[in-house]
Amino acid sequence: MQPALAPIPAAEERLSAALAARRGTRSSRTILLILPALLFLGLFFAYPMIDIVMRSLSGAGGFSLAHYGRLVAHPIYFRVFQITFEIALTVTIVTLLFGYPLAYVLVHCGRLAAGAIWACILLSLFTNILVRTYAWMILLAPDGVINQLLGAVGLGHQKLLFNRFAVLVGMTYALLPYMVLTLYSVMRGIDGTLLQAARNLGAGGGRAFWHVFLPLSLPGVVGGSLLVFILAVGYFITPRLLGGAGDQMIAMVIEEQVELGMDWGFASALAILLLLLTLAGFLLYSRFVGLKSLFESKL
Amino acid sequence: MRAGAEVATGAAWRRLALNALTAFTLLFLLAPIVVVILLSFSSGRYLQFPPPGFSLQWYERFFNDPQWMTSLWLSLRVSGMCTLFSLVLGVLASIVLVRERFPAKTAAYVLILAPLIVPGIIIAIAVFFLFARLDMIGSPIAMALGQTVLTLPLVVVIVSATLQGFDQRLEQAAIILGASPLRAFFHVTLPIISPGVISGALFAFLSSFDELLVALLLASPTTMTLPVRIWTSVTMQIDPTITAVSSLLIAFAVAVLSTAGILRRGRG
């Protein structure tokens, strides 16, 4: 049984304490509740990250830049970075070409159509990335669905799997939802009356789009492109399963070095470079779109 | 009048082109998932499309194969632990992040959300180096701890969003009426924010259940989670059993998404 009718002074005391806590004037013990999470991430995330930095900078006799030197000395690693950028850039452009019209339709269509489009986007986004990649292995196989269709229209059998084309298709598929989500969040905020005003002043639909809507949607274009590019640069599963010998990306080299127990210091140096690239990308992203929308789109 | 008609046909063509492009993009998004699901019910002996007939042979093979079952149970255990860890740590951290002001709050935010930004392969090797040092490769607990690094930020983002919409005066009222802060939390706050907590738990479980990289590097030949088992099967040979596993994973994701959607609607 709770003392429902507490003496009034006690209630007043509790009230003032509660209000003080709310204003943050009293340093509350509640703050301690964050410690478990911080300790956990310190031990299992921050410390291992520092460990990677240390490994990348250590050689036989203590401090050394040998691992980074190896990156510069061997043109094969330069080639890996080049391939990674080529793939990431192509995927960014293709997702933009398909994502922009889709986001545009999503903002302007009726509720029913929007619901159907959202269902497709979310279904693909939340399907296991391995499953999505495996699906493309089936579709692009030598005797797969797409080759059967090509054969039916007389285009013969094409080699569609284990090459750059397959990597681009698989990664475009995986990253398209991120592009659409970012574009949508910006397009949704564009004031429709501005377009109406342009049309009332005599602009046709196309002119209103090019001179009003497109410029206003540019933050979304920049943000979506940066996000897709950053995510693509760190990709591993899709290029590893769909690519051929010439599609070796940075993350694949890192995984290979660690998995096969070859050179953990060198893998660490590669990881640090990949991390710096990614952080630079997110810095630009936060300038253009803000990081808050990022964490929403990641869900 | 004529010019007007031309503009109108121009607009009609544009609309037609836009609709055609949208249809193509939606087909692109759906086709792989539909094909995998159809093939999982195929009576064929290999991956022929369209399937020659209906059969549950690949599901039977999945549920009767001890190796797949071992991986399924391991995955459920690892994801269960991971969800528990990230829920306890995440809900506590969210309360502080939403309600309290303290020095270095920004730093705390950065530390908690950073795993969302760092590429997955880097987190995987970081965790791998740590557990290799501790001689814990192949340990389910190590896998769960490693994946919690990835799921904890998700729980914090989801639960914080719910807590922000919570009227703190309700909790204060309970305290004024004589409840201890702990009691007020469990009897007033927790029930009200429970849709957010459940969503957080669902997404944490799903992400851990789907996670490959951490599990792959921490796996041993006897401890392979479901995604690791799929990975090794896919890289070795194309086994149609994977279509059945894939369809089950898709169904699971749909279930999680719909539940989270219903919870969100209930809240609004």
Side-chain angles (χ1 to χ4, degrees):
Chain A
M1 190 62 187
Q2 284 296 309
L5 294 171
I8 291 184
E12 263 177 2
E13 203 172 85
R14 282 171 189 280
L15 178 62
S16 61
L19 289 178
R22 193 174 168 204
R23 282 196 304 269
T25 48
R26 192 194 64 177
S27 80
S28 158
R29 274 176 304 164
T30 318
I31 291 173
L32 297 177
L33 296 177
I34 202 175
L35 282 181
L38 295 182
L39 284 175
F40 176 87
L41 285 172
L43 182 60
F44 294 102
F45 174 66
Y47 163 71
M49 292 300 289
I50 296 167
D51 186 39
I52 290 186
V53 176
M54 303 308 278
R55 281 175 192 271
S56 80
L57 289 171
S58 68
F63 176 84
S64 145
L65 285 172
H67 296 304
Y68 292 94
R70 184 171 158 198
L71 274 173
V72 184
H74 294 273
I76 180 173
Y77 297 118
F78 177 74
R79 182 82 190 111
V80 168
F81 273 83
Q82 203 183 350
I83 290 170
T84 307
F85 278 110
E86 275 170 26
I87 292 177
L89 194 63
T90 319
V91 168
T92 306
I93 293 168
V94 179
T95 50
L96 186 60
L97 288 179
F98 286 98
Y100 194 94
L102 190 62
Y104 182 86
V105 170
L106 198 51
V107 173
H108 291 98
C109 66
R111 283 191 72 172
L112 201 67
I117 297 174
W118 275 122
C120 293
I121 294 172
L122 291 178
L123 180 64
S124 130
L125 181 63
F126 280 91
T127 296
N128 188 317
I129 180 70
L130 255 177
V131 170
R132 282 184 273 170
T133 307
Y134 173 71
W136 281 108
M137 290 176 85
I138 295 176
L139 286 169
L140 298 171
D143 51 356
V145 181
I146 291 176
N147 259 322
Q148 285 176 21
L149 288 174
L150 287 177
V153 288
L155 284 168
H157 276 225
Q158 305 289 327
K159 182 173 165 31
L160 301 172
L161 197 53
F162 307 129
N163 55 22
R164 182 65 59 87
F165 173 76
V167 175
L168 294 177
V169 170
M171 286 180 64
T172 300
Y173 184 76
L175 294 169
L176 185 60
Y178 293 100
M179 179 64 90
V180 177
L181 287 173
T182 313
L183 284 168
Y184 176 80
S185 71
V186 172
M187 286 184 186
R188 196 184 43 180
I190 294 176
D191 187 351
T193 56
L194 291 174
L195 282 159
Q196 201 54 54
R199 304 198 70 159
N200 290 345
L201 291 171
R207 210 173 141 89
F209 172 79
W210 289 106
H211 289 270
V212 179
F213 190 85
L214 184 67
L216 287 173
S217 67
L218 279 183
V221 172
V222 176
S225 304
L226 275 169
L227 180 61
V228 168
F229 186 83
I230 298 163
L231 294 175
V233 163
Y235 246 56
F236 168 73
I237 297 172
T238 311
R240 171 73 177 71
L241 289 180
L242 298 177
D247 307 309
Q248 183 94 327
M249 293 178 73
I250 305 174
M252 293 158 70
V253 180
I254 297 175
E255 196 269 349
E256 196 180 65
Q257 295 280 338
V258 172
E259 177 93 85
L260 303 178
M262 290 199 281
D263 192 338
W264 291 3
F266 180 57
S268 302
L270 275 171
I272 294 302
L273 280 182
L274 176 58
L275 183 63
L276 290 177
L277 278 171
T278 310
L279 291 182
F282 276 119
L283 212 62
L284 284 174
Y285 185 94
S286 67
R287 275 277 175 88
F288 281 103
V289 198
L291 285 177
K292 196 171 187 302
S293 72
L294 172 77
F295 295 124
E296 279 158 10
S297 77
K298 270 258 183 177
L299 301 174
Chain B
M1 202 59 198
R2 201 137 191 213
E6 262 166 36
V7 169
T9 42
W13 277 113
R14 265 201 302 274
R15 171 153 298 185
L16 188 67
L18 193 60
N19 285 343
L21 187 61
T22 306
F24 175 79
T25 312
L26 293 182
L27 180 73
F28 174 70
L29 283 172
L30 272 188
I33 294 170
V34 171
V35 166
V36 165
I37 294 174
L38 287 178
L39 282 174
S40 74
F41 293 109
S42 169
S43 61
R45 297 194 58 194
Y46 59 101
L47 294 167
Q48 64 207 99
F49 195 88
F54 176 86
S55 140
L56 289 174
Q57 57 171 330
W58 305 117
Y59 291 90
E60 276 167 26
R61 190 179 283 202
F62 172 68
F63 285 109
N64 289 326
D65 180 353
Q67 283 199 322
W68 280 112
M69 283 303 103
T70 312
S71 291
L72 177 62
W73 287 121
L74 176 67
S75 269
L76 289 172
R77 266 168 58 210
V78 168
S79 301
M81 283 191 280
C82 173
T83 308
L84 184 70
F85 297 157
S86 42
L87 213 54
V88 172
L89 298 173
V91 171
L92 293 180
S94 301
I95 293 171
V96 179
L97 287 173
V98 170
R99 292 186 179 173
E100 307 291 328
R101 264 177 269 163
F102 56 96
K105 184 171 173 178
T106 314
Y109 252 120
V110 169
L111 178 62
I112 289 177
L113 298 182
L116 288 179
I117 283 179
V118 177
I121 186 71
I122 298 182
I123 293 180
I125 64 164
V127 171
F128 169 78
F129 288 151
L130 177 71
F131 287 115
R133 203 168 267 182
L134 297 173
D135 203 16
M136 283 174 75
I137 301 298
S139 144
I141 293 175
M143 292 176 190
L145 290 169
Q147 291 181 342
T148 304
V149 172
L150 301 164
T151 53
L152 175 56
L154 292 181
V155 171
V156 170
V157 169
I158 296 172
V159 174
S160 304
T162 318
L163 267 174
Q164 253 146 14
F166 170 74
D167 187 348
Q168 217 179 323
R169 282 173 304 184
L170 293 172
E171 194 180 296
Q172 283 160 4
I175 293 173
I176 290 161
L177 290 172
S180 69
L182 210 60
R183 197 178 153 94
F185 176 76
F186 278 106
H187 288 261
V188 177
T189 314
L190 202 57
I192 295 177
I193 64 164
S194 63
V197 175
I198 296 169
S199 293
L202 286 171
F203 281 113
F205 192 91
L206 181 66
S207 328
S208 155
F209 203 69
D210 276 347
E211 202 279 335
L212 173 69
L213 291 172
V214 168
L216 181 67
L217 288 179
L218 294 181
S220 73
T222 50
T223 46
M224 297 167 104
T225 62
L226 209 53
V228 175
R229 176 80 59 195
I230 298 176
W231 173 262
T232 46
S233 316
V234 169
T235 43
M236 299 294 183
Q237 88 280 2
I238 292 197
D239 173 4
T241 314
I242 301 170
T243 58
V245 190
S246 299
S247 303
L248 292 171
L249 286 175
I250 294 169
F252 181 55
V254 170
V256 167
L257 264 184
S258 344
T259 315
I262 292 166
L263 287 172
R264 188 168 299 180
R265 199 160 302 158
R267 194 184 64 199

